């Protein structure tokens, strides 16, 4: 699931492959930009911003992409077979003499003027893995609506950028509170720890192939994806329920023994389907 650490890794791969190189192939397979030709231009850099990717190109252009749930960028050598998915799922191809970057299932792909990047990412709060990180501002953003459930506030990228469903559940577990606890009810000492802990988790995982929050190989996560399995701390079965602001329900995991605060009385089955609705500020 792409979150801030995953997007940082994708940006690093793309930057290593493309930055400083002249594009010899350009193919944007979305109707609005299908006729755009970037060949002959040099890629300047690839920068992550929260869950967004900004590929800056000579001539004042930026290719903005967002992976959301299923998107990915793959980098291939000239003689390497493309394995990211069927051809009809390809949304972008950026090729140089030495490497080809292929974007699969990209739900967001647009070509902007670099001076207009704020249109795509200007709404974002401080980036946990970015140079603009400001823990005090992030905490103030989270606490500005004291009645809002903590899990929803953590996912809102306007508060701080980079946290997704996995880190939401893991952070709440490590703080010892449920994701439904109103942000204003978070004890002061734990509120002070939250931005520091969030940054620590994402920084620790940005260079890892497998995300880990426990420090235990083979038991990588405390609660996320572990519904009905025993809690790694107390042995109580981990529970699963949906949480959302009405725009989209998202699976949320917690331990009813280790985490205090309100929680749904009815948990859902791990295999139950969910219905996505409209776009949200979670992106």
């Amino acid at each position: 699931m792409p979150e801030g650490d995953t997007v940082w890794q994708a940006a690093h791969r793309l930057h290593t492959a493309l930055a400083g190189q002249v594009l010899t192939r350009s193919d944007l397979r979305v109707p609005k930009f299908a006729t755009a030709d970037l060949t002959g231009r040099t890629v300047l850099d690839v920068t992550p911003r929260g869950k967004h990717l900004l590929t800056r190109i000579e001539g004042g252009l930026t290719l903005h992409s967002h992976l959301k749930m299923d998107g990915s960028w793959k980098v291939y050598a000239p003689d390497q077979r493309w394995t990211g998915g069927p051809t009809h799922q390809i949304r972008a191809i950026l090729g140089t003499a030495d490497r080809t970057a292929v974007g699969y299932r990209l739900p967001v792909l647009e070509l902007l003027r670099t001076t207009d990047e704020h249109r795509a990412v200007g709404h974002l709060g401080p980036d946990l893995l970015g140079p603009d990180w400001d823990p005090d501002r992030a905490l103030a953003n989270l606490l500005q609506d004291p009645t809002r459930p903590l899990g929803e506030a953590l996912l809102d990228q306007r508060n701080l950028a980079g946290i997704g469903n996995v880190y939401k559940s893991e952070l709440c577990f490590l703080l010892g509170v449920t994701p439904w606890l109103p942000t204003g009810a978070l004890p002061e000492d734990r509120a002070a720890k939250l931005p520091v802990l969030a940054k620590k988790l994402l920084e620790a995982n940005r260079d890892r192939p497998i995300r880990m929050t426990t420090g235990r190989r083979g038991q990588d996560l405390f609660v996320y994806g572990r519904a009905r399995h025993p809690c790694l701390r107390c042995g109580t079965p981990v529970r699963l329920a949906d949480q959302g602001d009405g725009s989209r329900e998202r699976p949320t995991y917690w331990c009813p023994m280790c985490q205090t605060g309100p929680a749904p009385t009815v948990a859902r089955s791990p295999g139950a389907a969910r219905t996505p609705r409209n776009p949200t500020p979670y992106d």
Side-chain angles (χ1 to χ4, degrees), residues 229-265:
H229 291 278
C231 172
L232 297 181
R233 283 186 177 169
C234 72
T236 302
V238 172
R239 301 192 70 191
L240 165 64
D242 286 320
Q243 182 179 31
D245 62 356
S247 59
R248 181 172 181 172
E249 301 298 323
R250 296 178 182 246
T252 301
Y253 300 81
W254 81 103
C255 172
M257 184 64 67
C258 293
Q259 295 171 253
T260 60
T265 56

Side-chain angles (χ1 to χ4, degrees), residues 115-272:
T115 53
D116 291 334
E117 285 181 0
H118 63 277
R119 288 171 38 203
V121 297
H123 66 289
L124 298 175
D127 187 343
L128 282 152
L129 295 178
D132 69 320
W133 173 242
D134 182 338
D136 294 333
R137 182 180 157 213
L139 183 58
N141 290 345
L142 287 167
L143 298 177
Q144 64 185 342
D145 181 356
T147 65
R148 192 177 192 186
L150 179 59
E152 291 181 20
L154 285 171
L155 286 181
D156 190 334
Q157 302 298 292
R158 297 171 298 185
N159 292 332
L160 70 172
I163 290 178
N165 235 26
V166 176
Y167 284 118
K168 175 196 79 172
S169 294
E170 294 295 294
L171 274 168
C172 288
F173 177 83
L174 290 168
L175 291 169
V177 298
T178 69
W180 291 272
L181 182 80
T183 57
L186 186 64
E188 187 175 345
D189 60 331
R190 297 186 219 182
K193 291 179 183 177
L194 194 159
V196 177
L197 181 58
K199 183 173 179 62
K200 182 179 179 180
L201 287 180
L202 265 73
E203 281 190 334
N205 283 288
R206 68 183 182 184
D207 294 318
R208 288 177 176 160
I210 298 176
R211 187 178 288 140
M212 178 186 292
T213 60
T214 64
R216 310 177 191 179
R217 181 60 65 189
Q219 295 178 325
D220 301 317
L221 302 175
F222 281 109
V223 290
Y224 188 86
R226 302 193 65 252
R228 299 181 181 173
H229 291 278
C231 172
L232 297 181
R233 283 186 177 169
C234 72
T236 302
V238 172
R239 301 192 70 191
L240 165 64
D242 286 320
Q243 182 179 31
D245 62 356
S247 59
R248 181 172 181 172
E249 301 298 323
R250 296 178 182 246
T252 301
Y253 300 81
W254 81 103
C255 172
M257 184 64 67
C258 293
Q259 295 171 253
T260 60
T265 56
V266 179
R268 76 170 175 87
S269 167

Side-chain angles (χ1 to χ4, degrees), residues 31-45:
K32 187 174 181 180
F33 303 104
T35 60
D37 184 6
L38 302 175
T39 57
R41 298 176 186 256
T42 299
V43 176
L44 303 179
D45 66 76

